[in-house]
Amino acid sequence: MRDHGAVVDAIDCSATQHQRARDRYLDMAGLNLLHGDAVQHLACANPYDLMYAVSVFPFVDPARLIPAVVQKLRPRGRLVFSGACIPASPVTGRRPMSLPGGS
């Protein structure tokens, strides 16, 4: 990040994970460690060029998250995500879904 002048907002709803990140990365230049709800954060955040979501979809309702992401990605921005393949979300009970135009 530092080498490229990037500013990164890292948000986690888990107090434990947030504290782990603070313990490990608090002094990293350009990194803002945030504790809270990603959708609420996006409602007041500036637009992003890139969003990277690690295992977020099982814990945040995609019906809430995806519209918030769409609103805050700059034109030609990218959403990159990773996570375990699970049969249904423990939060919503729904199975994974495809994005429009996706496969």
Side-chain angles (χ1 to χ4, degrees):
M1 290 184 321
R2 289 181 296 241
D3 295 343
H4 300 287
V7 174
V8 174
D9 292 337
I11 187 162
D12 204 304
C13 64
S14 164
T16 301
Q17 291 299 92
H18 178 256
Q19 188 58 51
R20 285 181 183 161
R22 288 180 54 83
D23 292 345
R24 189 168 185 178
Y25 301 111
L26 186 60
D27 295 331
M28 185 176 284
L31 178 61
N32 302 312
L33 297 170
L34 308 169
H35 177 238
D37 180 84
V39 175
Q40 290 175 356
H41 169 74
L42 289 172
C44 61
N46 290 322
Y48 290 96
D49 295 312
L50 172 69
M51 292 186 197
Y52 179 53
V54 180
S55 297
V56 72
F57 291 106
F59 303 102
V60 179
D61 183 354
R64 288 181 61 230
L65 183 60
I66 292 173
V69 166
V70 168
Q71 290 295 315
K72 290 300 177 162
L73 273 177
R74 286 193 173 109
R76 301 180 57 92
R78 300 285 187 257
L79 168 62
V80 179
F81 61 92
S82 65
C85 182
I86 58 172
S89 167
V91 172
T92 66
R94 287 186 255 163
R95 298 202 181 280
M97 61 187 214
S98 296
L99 296 175
S103 54

